[in-house]
Amino acid sequence: MRMRTIVAAAALALACTDSTGPRQQLPTGQLHFLMQAATAPALLSDTASFYAKVGEDRRVELFYRGLTSDTGEAFLQFEVRAITLLKRPDGSSFQPGDSILITVAVGDPSKFDFTFSPAGLQFNPADPARLKIEYNYSDHDFNEDGVEDAEDAQAEGLLAIWRREPPDTLWTRLGTLKHVELDEIEAVILSFTQFAVAW
């Protein structure tokens, strides 16, 4: 298990150095946001909260609604490890045993678009927070031309997690690890703001 974690961390670090670069920036009007498929089940909840605590590994998850209105397939997972918390939004450092309430909210249920709060919360670059999004219920006609073909496969290869500081319209591309065969996308998170899956 430990070896798997090390390999995943190394792969994610390599993804941060890909040729498109994590510092690529685009305005809102030039991004293509990943959309939920028309046939996607509703989310069980569009918000979730948990207390991250120094010294403990904790995470929060969002799920699609299941067949009997209970928990279905995973949609989003956000993980904060024991030494991940670094600074509060006011700039003060976390001390052993400190905790903070974290909330994840889906901005637009038709898109893969999220707001994390409290804004300005900072994480340890040596062991950052990790965000994983499952997009198997996305509209795989990525270019919206009415047919799924090679152009859509090319667009899927460009998918990344992007961040912006509202109300700024510029989005910054994060280094992203994709598992296309699993419809999963991951990124390390160093601070809170708005995030979206797009290309």
Side-chain angles (χ1 to χ4, degrees), residues 105-123:
V106 177
D108 179 345
S110 70
K111 296 180 184 176
F112 287 72
D113 154 17
F114 319 95
T115 300
F116 286 66
S117 61
L121 180 63
Q122 296 178 49
F123 301 110

Side-chain angles (χ1 to χ4, degrees), residues 178-198:
K178 290 186 290 289
H179 304 281
V180 173
E181 69 284 356
L182 299 175
D183 287 344
E184 291 179 0
I185 192 164
E186 299 179 51
V188 297
I189 304 299
L190 296 176
S191 64
F192 272 171
T193 183
Q194 183 179 7
F195 299 92
V197 180

